[in-house]
Amino acid sequence: MKFAAVLNRDGGTLRTTDLAAFSDRMRQTLEAAGHSLSIDVVAGKDVVETLDNAASRRAVDVVLAGGGDGTISAAAARLMGKKKALAILPAGTMNLFARGLGIPQSLDAALKSFADGEIIAVDMATANGRPFIHQFSIGMHAKMVQLRQGMEFGSRLGKIGASAKAAWATINNPPAMNVTLAVGKAEMTARISGIGVTNNLFGEGHLPYADNPSGGVLGIYVTVAQQRAELVKFFFDVARGRWRDNEHVEIHQADRTVLKIHSGSRKFRAVMDGELVRLERETTIEIRPGALNVLVPASIAAAKAA
């Protein structure tokens, strides 16, 4: 296969990686398996343009994207509905989409898995037509991300620490939003502290990622928790992957949902794949089954085919 690698030198763990040495290992590993490879190492501001170029090149079979959540999500958006496949170098903080695909969590192990990997089709989702691979969320998560953006950190551990501080600040002053959520033929109106809509249902007992990335459904998680004790338990259960154990979380699934915001004239934000975006008064979120081709370890492809 012909690989086009786009590495965001400002993204995730790549900021502290010797990218010249890693690029050499990429060439050795993939070329030894009979593949060809071009590599672009670019600044964060140039990632989107470089991904556009890689995705449009006729001779390319696989776009190999390395960086944080924003880089991977941008690459997936450009490959949605195309024959080209996405290979993910897990250089982010949690790498949740990569985990759901069974991709090894170290850069070199992931690279080795691509050498004899296989391409499978998995789902994506869209919010008002904008693609995402992991989650669209409002309320607490969006507030946490906004607060974290105002903090300084220069490493993965620093980001985790900043996230913990932002979570505690959110617990002490949680948002409350009046919303209407249409799920299938049902419609509910409530005052919520958070809603997350995910590309397939999260698995239980681990970090929040989908066990089946081609399940064909949205996971819809609604919480109305407001008291400090309720919120502490909520965050603890989320961290353990015990969504269903929390009495303040409602879980639904559908192939389409419509979210309407009724709270005043205040401008709220949403989070899509870790990035803050403007929240529209009405958002239609839909699953896109099999919309993305991904390169996964051969053992993962075999297990999904069984």
Side-chain angles (χ1 to χ4, degrees), residues 159-173:
K159 185 175 181 180
I160 292 173
S163 296
K165 291 179 182 178
W168 182 244
T170 301
I171 287 171
N172 284 306
N173 186 21

Side-chain angles (χ1 to χ4, degrees), residues 38-193:
S38 65
I39 303 174
D40 288 304
V41 179
V42 299
K45 64 182 179 64
D46 298 319
V47 164
V48 169
E49 181 181 350
T50 310
L51 286 170
D52 281 335
N53 180 273
S56 65
R57 285 159 56 188
R58 184 174 299 179
V60 170
D61 301 305
V62 180
V63 176
L64 194 161
D69 292 340
T71 299
I72 304 306
S73 184
R78 280 146 186 82
L79 296 172
M80 178 177 169
K82 295 186 177 181
K83 291 183 178 180
K84 289 182 178 65
L86 171 66
I88 301 171
L89 278 175
T93 304
M94 294 297 181
N95 306 310
L96 297 171
F97 186 58
R99 288 177 189 272
L101 297 175
I103 295 172
Q105 291 300 292
S106 79
L107 297 180
D108 285 290
L111 181 60
K112 290 177 182 178
S113 79
F114 298 150
D116 64 349
E118 296 186 18
I119 294 172
I120 64 172
V122 298
D123 304 338
M124 289 187 69
T126 57
N128 282 352
R130 180 173 173 176
F132 65 95
I133 53 174
H134 179 60
Q135 179 173 294
F136 173 96
S137 56
I138 65 169
M140 289 189 292
H141 188 200
K143 182 172 183 177
M144 283 175 56
V145 173
Q146 276 189 291
L147 290 171
R148 189 181 66 203
Q149 283 191 344
M151 302 177 187
E152 292 186 3
F153 52 87
S155 67
R156 180 178 178 179
L157 286 177
K159 185 175 181 180
I160 292 173
S163 296
K165 291 179 182 178
W168 182 244
T170 301
I171 287 171
N172 284 306
N173 186 21
M177 302 172 68
N178 297 318
V179 305
T180 296
L181 186 67
V183 181
K185 295 182 179 180
E187 188 173 272
M188 62 192 84
T189 299
R191 188 169 178 81
I192 58 92
S193 49

Side-chain angles (χ1 to χ4, degrees), residues 6 10 12 16 32 64 146 159 169 211 239 255 257 262 282 295 299:
V6 179
D10 301 324
T16 55
L64 194 161
Q146 276 189 291
K159 185 175 181 180
D211 285 339
D255 58 8
T257 186
H262 304 298
E282 181 172 322
L295 185 66
S299 59

